[in-house]
Amino acid sequence: MKYLEVSSERKRIYNELIEIKGNIRVFCRCRPLNSAEMANGLASVVEFDPAQDNELQVNCSDSSKKQFKFDHVFKPEDDQEAVFAQTKPVVVSVLDGYNVCIFAYGQTGTGKTFTMEGTQENRGVNYRTLEELFRISEDRRGTMRYELSVSMLEVYNERIRDLLVESSDEPVKKRLEIKQAAEGTQEVPGLMEVRVFSTEDVWELLRSGSRARSVGSTSANEMSSRSHCLLRVTVRGDNLINGHKTKSHLWMVDLAGSERVGRIEVEGERLKESQFINKSLSALGDVISALASKTAHVPYRSHFLSLFS
Ligand SMILES: Nc1ncnc2c1ncn2[C@@H]1O[C@H](COP(=O)(O)OP(=O)(O)OP(=O)(O)O)[C@@H](O)[C@H]1O
């Protein structure tokens, strides 16, 4: 009984939080200048107000200043832990049966992959989230049994590729598609789903998926991600007290760079990629702005990337 009270209290608080803050949250992260930028004598054009952690100001080339507001702004000195601290309350709600989606969006080279994947020493949101999900699952062991599985796919030039299928299997792999499931969620039939039992399983799995991703070099980033990379965590929950079962998805998406074609001298294959990237990002932008303004029609079908949001 005590457990049921705590659990429904947790859901009530979460729903209240969503009510107050909205169900879409936008954070902005400004990365530090890199060594090439410093060597070229570049300086940051972004200013932060120490008293406001949700605002920044951009100094424009015509000496005007533009102010932007977000739910939270991360400064160059904010580390991966600080970013995850803000993300945590939203992602862990997947354990209570909510579907959640996070996108990292920005121009090429701004730190999307660093934020989501991170490095061995500076692990990003993807790994930290799974670590937290395991920690909470363990805490709730007496009352809930959870099964966590991971899938990873990329959307590259309008095609969906499974990143967890061995690359040697590539020639026999069939093209994946999105289908609407009976309960209204989106499914990708045939997508590999790997059950994970501990954080030790996770890091190598994420690394191998990420190595299979399509990358290329643009003039703005030497190792630019040319695809949208989607990590899906599926949570199956079994309530040991009342027998209630849940299944929910958490999507963590590292979008391809939103560069403007004219700005980074692209040609040939890179140009084609950029056009596909921009088309899909623009469709996704339309969906998010329709959701944010709560308009009756949300154009999910204008691009299949939007179906995951
Ligand atoms: N907050 C940060 N602190 C330190 N280094 C960072 C930070 N953010 C990004 N970097 C470094 O900047 C470089 C570019 O970052 P990253 O590849 O994550 O950009 P991206 O936005 O994913 O680019 P693309 O869209 O081209 O894939 C990388 O070398 C990364 O390690």
Side-chain angles (χ1 to χ4, degrees), residues 84 87-95 100 102 125 129 132-133 250 252:
F84 183 63
T87 327
K88 191 160 68 175
V90 183
V91 289
V92 299
S93 65
V94 73
L95 291 176
V100 184
I102 314 180
V125 167
T129 297
E132 184 64 8
L133 297 183
L250 162 65
M252 292 184 274

Side-chain angles (χ1 to χ4, degrees), residues 142-203:
T143 47
M144 288 293 297
R145 189 170 47 227
Y146 289 109
E147 264 183 43
L148 304 185
S149 320
V150 167
S151 305
M152 227 172 148
L153 58 91
E154 74 168 355
V155 176
Y156 176 66
N157 285 358
E158 307 287 288
R159 296 185 68 144
I160 302 174
R161 279 181 60 215
D162 193 330
L163 294 178
L164 295 184
V165 171
E166 295 292 324
S167 49
S168 54
D169 297 343
E170 195 97 30
V172 290
K173 225 166 46 185
K174 67 177 191 311
R175 192 177 172 152
L176 293 172
E177 283 175 3
I178 302 174
K179 295 255 153 55
Q180 177 136 7
E183 65 270 30
T185 56
Q186 311 305 326
E187 291 296 336
V188 185
L191 180 67
M192 170 99 89
E193 196 176 289
V194 180
R195 178 90 191 270
V196 283
F197 296 90
S198 69
T199 43
E200 287 82 64
D201 296 343
V202 167
W203 181 249

Side-chain angles (χ1 to χ4, degrees), residues 5-20:
E5 277 168 21
V6 171
S7 160
S8 69
E9 180 62 2
R10 200 171 53 233
K11 284 191 183 173
R12 191 189 61 75
I13 294 171
Y14 178 78
N15 288 335
E16 240 175 59
L17 184 82
I18 293 292
E19 192 73 24
I20 298 164

Side-chain angles (χ1 to χ4, degrees), residues 29-32 34 76 78 80 106-115 119 213 218 221 223-226 254-259:
R29 183 179 198 182
C30 299
R31 69 156 168 77
N34 61 34
D78 286 336
Q80 302 284 65
Q107 269 178 272
T108 187
T110 47
K112 298 178 294 297
T113 305
F114 182 81
T115 299
T119 58
R213 202 176 163 187
T218 65
N221 186 2
M223 277 291 286
S224 182
S225 319
R226 310 304 297 153
D254 178 9
L255 292 167
S258 64
E259 60 272 10

